[in-house]
């Protein structure tokens, strides 16, 4: 089995996401209240998740993951979907029915 190192995050996507995050944070007061309920994983757990995702989902296809499309898909699966849910879905759900930790 080949060794795996995660591909770098595409810079343009990261900048766009960061700007969207800043705008969202500034526009919603409820974000501060909701962020206290977030759970995070440590670096070791993230490394384990990353290698498992690579081995099981991408089938250890290093060539695909090193392409721009593969790197985007990898980061979408690893972290971006969670961030999108935290930015969009959770505040929407909270606006309909308050989320209380």
């Amino acid at each position: 089995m080949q060794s795996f190192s995660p591909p770098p995050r595409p810079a343009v996507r990261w900048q766009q996401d960061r700007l969207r995050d800043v705008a969202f944070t500034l526009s919603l007061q409820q974000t501060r209240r909701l962020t206290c309920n977030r759970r995070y994983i440590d670096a070791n757990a993230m490394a384990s998740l990353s290698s498992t995702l690579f081995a099981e989902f991408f089938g250890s296809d290093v060539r695909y993951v090193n392409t721009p499309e593969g790197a985007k898909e990898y980061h979408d699966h690893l972290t971006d979907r969670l961030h999108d849910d935290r930015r969009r879905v959770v505040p929407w759900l909270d606006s309909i029915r308050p989320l209380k930790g």
Side-chain angles (χ1 to χ4, degrees):
M1 186 162 131
Q2 297 176 340
S3 66
F4 170 70
S5 62
R9 176 181 291 275
V12 173
R13 167 100 188 212
W14 180 85
Q15 292 167 350
Q16 291 170 346
D17 287 348
R18 181 69 184 133
L19 288 174
R20 198 175 308 124
D21 282 347
V22 170
F24 184 82
T25 301
L26 293 175
S27 67
L28 293 175
Q29 292 295 329
Q30 67 189 11
T31 302
R32 287 192 182 103
R33 182 176 54 79
L34 294 173
T35 57
C36 68
N37 296 326
R38 291 182 180 174
R39 295 183 182 173
Y40 299 92
I41 62 174
D42 62 20
N44 291 334
M46 181 61 83
S48 176
L49 176 62
S50 175
S51 63
T52 301
L53 174 68
F54 178 71
E56 299 297 325
F57 186 79
F58 293 100
S60 300
D61 188 3
V62 175
R63 289 174 294 149
Y64 174 68
V65 176
N66 286 329
T67 65
E69 296 83 14
K72 179 186 177 307
E73 188 174 349
Y74 169 81
H75 287 290
D76 282 347
H77 283 288
L78 189 62
T79 58
D80 292 348
R81 290 179 180 171
L82 173 63
H83 294 299
D84 285 345
D85 288 346
R86 285 179 171 173
R87 281 194 310 258
R88 296 180 185 146
V89 177
V90 171
W92 174 76
L93 288 172
D94 185 66
S95 71
I96 293 172
R97 185 172 185 143
L99 304 174
K100 300 177 184 173

